[in-house]
Amino acid sequence: MGDEKARRVDDALSTLVQSFLPSSPNDDVIVREKRGQQAIDLARILRENESPDKAVQFSNLYARLLTAPVLSQKWAILYLLYQLADSDGSDEGSSRSDASRHGLGNLQQKKSKSAEGYHGTEDEEAFTKAFSSAGLPQFPTGDSRTMAPIPSRTRSERRIEPTEDPPSNAAGDLATMPTESAILRDLPFTLQGLSSTHLPFTTNSSLTLPSTLPLPIISLLHTLAEPSLLYRSLSEFVQSKDEGLIGQSLRSAIGSELRSYLGLIATLEGEIRRAIASLDTNDPRGGIGKAGVTLKRCVVWTREATMGLRLMSLMVEEAKSRKGGQLITMIHGFSTSHGDPFVGAFAERMLIHVTRPFYDMLRQWIYDGELSDPYHEFFVIEQDTPSSGERETDPRRAPATSVWEDKYKLDDSMMPTIMTDELAKKVFLIGKSLNFIRYGCGDSAWVEAYCKDASKELRYGDTATLETSIDKAYKATMARLTHLMDSKFHLFEHLCALKKYLLLGQGDFIALLMESLSSNLDRPAGSQYRHTLTAQLEHAIRGSNAQYDSQEVLRRLDARLLELSHGDIGWDVFTLEYKVDAPVDVIITPWASKKYLTVFNFLWRVKRVEFALGSTWRRCMTGARGVLANVDEKMSRDWKVARCCMAEMIHFVNQLQYYILFEVIEASWDQLQTAIAKPDCTLDDLIEAHTTYLKAITHKGLLGSPRSTATGSREDSFTSQLHHILKTMLAYKEAVDGLYSFSVAEFTRRQELAAKIETRTAMGKWGISDKDNDDDGRSPSPATARGGNLNAHSRTDSPFAIDSVIAGAVSSGDDQMLPALRVRLKELSGDFKVRVNVLLGDLAVQPDVDMKFLGVVMNFNNVYAPRKRRREGRGGERRTPGAAGGGVGAGGAGGGDGADGSGHGSTQTEGGAGKPKDKEKGKGKGAGTGA
């Protein structure tokens, strides 16, 4: 009766389970029967359970699962949870490898005592795939409302079930595959990159795994193989050689990390040995989980070490194309740009070791001024001495300044990101200044004492101390260098001397020098002698306030002659020179000396015109009360026009001098003084300020280079325009001197005639007769007799020898001389006004306010009509409007060759037919139409 009841309960249970069991159209009959048998077995286990509370709890949880609308694959989730619960074999001799190997088959073996295995069942395959790297399998879908609950086995039930031997069909596979304990025994050798019995290395980058192992074990071994292969590659990198201190430091840091990794492996090996020693020899598989060491736990223990090895391997790959500061930048990028805290901490730890050579080089550079970088890894590089060709390419470069300008350069590609650009520039200036103090200034004793007192160890991570040390070194070095340039080498005295003597700041000295040299410089350049010029220079120094300057300044001032060319006079080749030597030539470079010479020559030419015009003006003003008053009825209009034009020229010259000396030079000098007086001024700042000072003077002082127009032609620069205007002034001054000589000759002739009349009247004769007039026509006039003296007198002020022409003209008759002078004066006056109009038109369109203001001052009463250049003809040819270009030479009436070139009256203009003349004196034939 009891058996009949049990049979009925089993049949009812089977029918109920079959009704709830989902079916899949893809399953065959055998698979469906096996799945149904498993469900029935689970239901029997649940029915025979002694504690029904767990069954009730499971039913409640299952009911809640069915009502959850979010989950659609409810049966698959229950099946996975069941498989995971059954695979836990760490308690009471149940191993994970045994659970993963047999799956649900163990449950049926323990209950039914059958010998049939489930290695080839679909359930075991699904369980295996659940732990594979590909993820979970796709389970059959079904209606969640018809899914039967699958009870969960408790740990107490699994512990009390007897453990039976594996089925006979799996015995052959188990015999051929290595056990987990055997793999664990070989694992320490594998993690050290050494081949073992079951895990041999075929090549340096490949590890062979046993093919008979299940997929979960293979997945775990794949994870453990990564640190093994990384360790082998990193070991080879550490043992390789590198020609660089920072590269060697990187290898040392990686070697230190590898030694820490080996310490971890040693600890892991000890755990594995103790676990294997505690295993039961009769059942080594069942006790591996109880021993506490499994492959999964080895994966967990080596996870952080694997990340470190992986990061170092990435650094090694990136380091192949980098060196020096680039390596530090690469590692620092992992520290600052990576979001993983482990990566950032690991990179910081690496930087502490890698940056040691860099900070050693940095310390020696900022405290000793020496660059100890044999492998070119620092961001400061030492260059070779520039060749002569390079110096010609850059005129500002000088051999004496190579210690500062050319010896060291900043290499931006080697600048590490652990330093800011501002800090790196300070470091560069500190070391370069110390090196310059040692070798350029000869003060190595101070550098050694400074190094001994201030030197301290620098290391990565202490940013505040590093910046403080660099700031202190920067201030101390710059203060010492500025003190040496001021007190020992008198830099600022030299700058003041250049301004006073080459930029004509010492007015009394320049006036006395010009007055004493005027008679000598009127002669041809070939007759000038160095000792004569030097003697006159000494005379000007002793006779002016220049005598109170220090001998250090005065001994550097010298007079010399420029290159001679045909037709030059002394005014064209005379110049002053101020000599400087090292280390002052770092600031006053040869390029700067050439700029000073250019400005001096221009100002000297302007001063010469002012001196010549002033001399002629004084002569005319004193003569107006004597000689000129007696010929006023004949030449009063000529002298009125000449005085007005000379007044215009004097005003032009005075305004030009005022503008250059005060608006340009003094304003630029104030800016230079302000830049020098800054407390944090460096030698580079001094060089830059002095260069800006000279550029401002040459640009605003109308000394710029010619400009290129859109059509390809070149416009005259302001220097060229002023040169032509000054030549026109000198020519006009010579013409006025000729007019004055003619007036003196006329006055003398009239005085002699008056004296003769008085003499004859006193003798009782007629004052003059027709015979006396005929004798006067045959005999040379008094003016002719003293014409040579007049010519010699006029040459003391000018290179133009027009008086010889006038003397010849006087001998041929007064009626031909005066009209020639009038035409000459009119043409030169018109040429002057036309050129001034063009200059004022160019100044009006300048962007600089001071240059515009110069044009306003010169034309304050709008007497001039400023005009822009007009381009006529093809090819954009420029013609100066209103410049007639013609001029009648004073010697034209005589028909012969003037002694100094009677054609000099044809001072060429750009609009004339002839070619422009570069010199103020030239030779030309008689008549003339000049240009």
Side-chain angles (χ1 to χ4, degrees):
M1 188 66 183
D3 295 338
E4 181 66 19
K5 182 179 180 181
R7 187 180 62 80
R8 289 180 180 180
V9 172
D10 290 340
D11 292 341
L13 186 61
S14 299
T15 304
L16 182 62
V17 170
Q18 289 295 336
S19 64
F20 282 103
L21 188 66
S23 61
S24 175
N26 298 327
D27 295 341
D28 54 6
V29 179
I30 299 176
V31 174
R32 267 197 307 271
E33 291 180 354
K34 289 183 178 180
R35 187 184 297 115
Q37 186 62 39
Q38 290 179 358
I40 293 172
D41 292 339
L42 289 175
R44 288 174 180 172
I45 293 173
L46 184 62
R47 183 172 60 88
E48 296 174 359
N49 189 8
E50 297 178 356
S51 58
D53 297 337
K54 294 184 178 180
V56 175
Q57 183 180 6
F58 174 79
S59 299
N60 294 333
L61 293 175
Y62 179 68
R64 293 173 61 186
L65 178 64
L66 292 178
T67 58
V70 179
L71 303 176
S72 60
Q73 303 292 335
K74 299 181 176 62
W75 182 88
I77 294 173
L78 285 175
Y79 187 77
L80 173 62
L81 294 175
Y82 173 74
Q83 296 280 37
L84 291 176
D86 189 64
S87 64
D88 187 5
S90 60
D91 297 329
E92 298 297 329
S94 176
S95 66
R96 295 183 182 179
S97 60
D98 186 64
S100 63
R101 188 178 298 112
H102 301 289
L104 291 176
N106 287 336
L107 178 62
Q108 188 158 348
Q109 290 171 10
K110 296 174 184 179
K111 185 66 182 176
S112 61
K113 307 293 184 179
S114 63
E116 183 179 358
Y118 289 87
H119 285 284
T121 63
E122 184 179 352
D123 296 329
E124 181 190 1
E125 181 180 358
F127 177 73
T128 303
K129 289 182 179 180
F131 284 93
S132 65
S133 59
L136 298 175
Q138 297 293 331
F139 293 99
T141 59
D143 190 0
S144 59
R145 292 173 295 182
T146 61
M147 293 182 182
I150 302 177
S152 173
R153 294 180 59 191
T154 61
R155 291 188 177 181
S156 59
E157 291 174 342
R158 289 199 298 266
R159 284 198 297 268
I160 62 176
E161 292 178 356
T163 302
E164 298 183 358
D165 295 334
S168 58
N169 59 351
D173 296 337
L174 293 174
T176 56
M177 80 173 57
T179 61
E180 186 173 4
S181 59
I183 296 176
L184 287 173
R185 189 180 292 109
D186 294 343
L187 184 60
F189 300 97
T190 304
L191 294 176
Q192 298 180 58
L194 302 175
S195 297
S196 59
T197 304
H198 301 98
L199 303 172
F201 285 92
T202 56
T203 62
N204 290 335
S205 59
S206 63
L207 176 65
T208 303
L209 302 179
S211 58
T212 58
L213 292 174
L215 289 180
I217 303 298
I218 293 294
S219 177
L220 294 174
L221 291 179
H222 270 291
T223 305
L224 292 171
E226 182 183 4
S228 306
L229 297 174
L230 291 176
Y231 177 82
R232 285 173 68 93
S233 63
L234 291 174
S235 297
E236 293 178 0
F237 176 75
V238 169
Q239 294 173 2
S240 63
K241 295 182 179 180
D242 183 83
E243 294 184 356
L245 298 178
I246 297 181
Q248 295 174 13
S249 179
L250 175 62
R251 283 164 171 77
S252 175
I254 293 177
S256 177
E257 293 295 332
L258 292 182
R259 286 191 293 272
S260 301
Y261 170 76
L262 291 179
L264 173 64
I265 301 305
T267 304
L268 181 61
E269 184 180 7
E271 294 293 331
I272 292 174
R273 287 184 178 180
R274 281 193 294 271
I276 294 176
S278 64
L279 289 178
D280 187 2
T281 55
N282 297 327
D283 189 11
R285 295 181 181 273
I288 191 65
K290 185 178 179 180
V293 179
T294 60
L295 289 176
K296 284 186 178 181
R297 289 185 179 179
C298 291
V299 169
V300 174
W301 290 340
T302 59
R303 181 175 299 168
E304 186 173 342
T306 303
M307 293 177 62
L309 294 173
R310 191 183 303 156
L311 182 58
M312 288 189 291
S313 178
L314 183 58
M315 292 179 182
V316 169
E317 291 296 326
E318 295 288 336
K320 291 181 180 179
S321 59
R322 291 178 171 86
K323 70 172 187 177
Q326 298 172 347
L327 280 177
I328 298 176
T329 299
M330 182 265 296
I331 300 175
H332 188 251
F334 287 102
S335 173
T336 57
S337 303
H338 205 283
D340 191 345
F342 171 80
V343 174
F346 189 88
E348 289 287 324
R349 189 168 66 249
M350 291 283 292
L351 280 173
I352 294 175
H353 299 281
V354 174
T355 55
R356 284 178 182 173
F358 173 81
Y359 280 103
D360 289 341
M361 289 185 281
L362 178 64
R363 183 188 58 80
Q364 194 166 2
W365 174 251
I366 65 174
Y367 291 124
D368 200 34
E370 296 290 345
L371 183 61
S372 177
D373 184 20
Y375 300 107
H376 306 289
E377 298 176 296
F378 201 53
F379 61 88
V380 178
I381 57 176
E382 184 173 0
Q383 297 190 130
D384 298 331
T385 304
S387 60
S388 58
E390 293 177 351
R391 294 193 190 106
E392 293 176 0
T393 307
D394 186 3
R396 278 181 275 188
R397 180 178 292 171
T401 62
S402 61
V403 174
W404 182 263
E405 291 289 341
D406 302 317
K407 188 173 182 180
Y408 297 107
K409 290 294 181 183
L410 197 61
D411 188 3
D412 294 333
S413 63
M414 287 294 174
M415 189 181 300
T417 54
I418 60 177
M419 302 183 67
T420 61
D421 292 342
E422 182 181 359
L423 198 64
K425 289 180 181 178
K426 281 188 177 181
V427 169
F428 176 66
L429 282 176
I430 291 170
K432 191 166 69 167
S433 301
L434 287 174
N435 191 275
F436 183 73
I437 292 173
R438 181 191 293 271
Y439 297 106
C441 302
D443 195 8
S444 58
W446 182 87
V447 176
E448 293 175 358
Y450 165 76
C451 178
K452 186 181 297 183
D453 296 338
S455 180
K456 60 178 64 176
E457 183 182 2
L458 304 176
R459 61 182 182 273
Y460 177 76
D462 196 357
T463 307
T465 304
L466 176 64
E467 292 182 354
T468 303
S469 302
I470 291 177
D471 288 340
K472 288 182 179 179
Y474 180 80
K475 292 178 180 178
T477 306
M478 295 302 110
R480 179 62 181 179
L481 183 57
T482 305
H483 173 73
L484 286 176
M485 297 300 290
D486 183 18
S487 60
K488 184 177 180 181
F489 301 106
H490 311 288
L491 169 65
F492 306 117
E493 291 185 17
H494 294 318
L495 292 176
C496 291
L498 286 167
K499 176 178 175 291
K500 288 197 296 185
Y501 299 118
L502 295 191
L503 302 183
L504 309 191
Q506 190 75 27
D508 57 342
F509 166 77
I510 297 299
L512 184 58
L513 179 65
M514 183 163 288
E515 184 178 353
S516 60
L517 286 175
S518 59
S519 58
N520 291 328
L521 297 181
D522 283 331
R523 296 197 296 266
S527 62
Q528 305 295 327
Y529 298 100
R530 181 81 177 271
H531 64 275
T532 305
L533 301 179
T534 305
Q536 296 296 335
L537 177 63
E538 293 292 335
H539 169 70
I541 291 175
R542 290 193 300 269
S544 64
N545 287 329
Q547 61 181 317
Y548 300 111
D549 284 342
S550 64
Q551 292 300 317
E552 175 69 18
V553 171
L554 295 178
R555 70 179 181 85
R556 298 175 183 273
L557 192 61
D558 191 17
R560 67 183 183 92
L561 299 175
L562 300 175
E563 253 182 70
L564 304 181
S565 60
H566 181 68
D568 283 343
I569 61 174
W571 292 104
D572 300 324
V573 296
F574 172 80
T575 187
L576 286 181
E577 182 183 23
Y578 192 85
K579 300 176 182 178
V580 294
D581 48 16
V584 180
D585 58 356
V586 170
I587 297 175
I588 308 173
T589 60
W591 173 84
S593 299
K594 290 182 180 179
K595 289 296 181 182
Y596 277 115
L597 184 61
T598 301
V599 177
F600 172 78
N601 289 335
F602 174 71
L603 292 176
W604 182 255
R605 191 181 302 128
V606 174
K607 206 72 176 177
R608 173 205 173 184
V609 173
E610 181 199 28
F611 178 78
L613 291 176
S615 301
T616 302
W617 182 266
R618 287 192 300 272
R619 184 188 304 172
C620 294
M621 292 298 103
T622 52
R625 296 187 295 269
V627 176
L628 302 182
N630 293 322
V631 296
D632 191 46
E633 71 279 0
K634 183 178 182 180
M635 305 178 64
S636 61
R637 185 176 183 278
D638 297 327
W639 277 111
K640 184 180 295 184
V641 173
R643 290 191 189 101
C644 289
C645 188
M646 286 189 65
E648 288 184 26
M649 293 180 179
I650 292 174
H651 173 263
F652 179 88
V653 171
N654 289 338
Q655 294 301 325
L656 181 63
Q657 280 194 100
Y658 170 81
Y659 167 75
I660 295 176
L661 293 179
F662 294 97
E663 299 293 340
V664 176
I665 294 179
E666 288 296 335
S668 302
W669 176 257
D670 290 340
Q671 295 176 3
L672 176 63
Q673 292 290 92
T674 303
I676 291 175
K678 290 182 179 179
D680 57 345
C681 182
T682 65
L683 193 58
D684 277 333
D685 295 335
L686 289 177
I687 296 173
E688 183 65 25
H690 186 250
T691 304
T692 305
Y693 166 69
L694 290 179
K695 286 182 178 179
I697 290 176
T698 53
H699 171 66
K700 297 176 65 175
L702 311 179
L703 298 176
S705 58
R707 304 182 302 272
S708 296
T709 61
T711 59
S713 61
R714 292 173 68 83
E715 294 182 356
D716 289 339
S717 63
F718 287 114
T719 308
S720 178
Q721 294 184 54
L722 290 173
H723 176 69
H724 287 297
I725 292 175
L726 294 177
K727 283 205 306 183
T728 303
M729 290 180 181
L730 288 175
Y732 193 85
K733 175 258 181 189
E734 293 296 334
V736 172
D737 286 343
L739 184 63
Y740 185 81
S741 298
F742 179 82
S743 300
V744 171
E746 178 68 19
F747 172 76
T748 304
R749 188 180 65 81
R750 291 186 180 188
Q751 291 293 329
E752 289 178 353
L753 182 60
K756 187 175 181 180
I757 291 173
E758 290 179 2
T759 302
R760 289 178 64 87
T761 303
M763 293 172 60
K765 299 179 181 180
W766 291 100
I768 190 170
S769 62
D770 294 337
K771 183 179 179 181
D772 293 333
N773 289 332
D774 295 338
D775 293 339
D776 291 339
R778 290 191 300 268
S779 62
S781 65
T784 306
R786 68 184 65 188
N789 294 333
L790 291 175
N791 186 26
H793 175 73
S794 65
R795 278 201 301 266
T796 59
D797 294 330
S798 172
F800 293 93
I802 192 171
D803 288 345
S804 62
V805 182
I806 296 175
V810 170
S811 65
S812 62
D814 296 343
D815 294 338
Q816 297 177 358
M817 179 64 184
L818 186 58
L821 285 173
R822 287 171 177 171
V823 171
R824 176 66 174 159
L825 289 171
K826 183 178 180 180
E827 289 177 351
L828 291 175
S829 176
D831 187 23
F832 169 74
K833 291 183 179 180
V834 167
R835 292 187 181 277
V836 171
N837 286 333
V838 174
L839 176 64
L840 294 179
D842 290 343
L843 288 175
V845 297
Q846 292 300 310
D848 189 80
V849 178
D850 293 332
M851 297 177 73
K852 285 185 177 180
F853 183 70
L854 172 63
V856 174
V857 171
M858 288 182 175
N859 193 24
F860 68 96
N861 55 357
N862 293 326
V863 69
Y864 300 107
R867 66 185 69 180
K868 297 180 66 176
R869 300 169 185 264
R870 292 187 302 177
R871 292 173 173 80
E872 299 177 357
R874 296 181 180 179
E877 182 180 355
R878 183 179 68 251
R879 300 179 184 275
T880 304
V888 179
D897 295 340
D900 290 318
S902 58
H904 80 275
S906 59
T907 301
Q908 301 291 341
T909 61
E910 295 176 1
K915 296 181 179 179
K917 293 185 179 180
D918 295 330
K919 302 299 176 184
E920 297 174 359
K921 294 176 63 177
K923 293 193 176 182
K925 290 209 178 175
T929 49

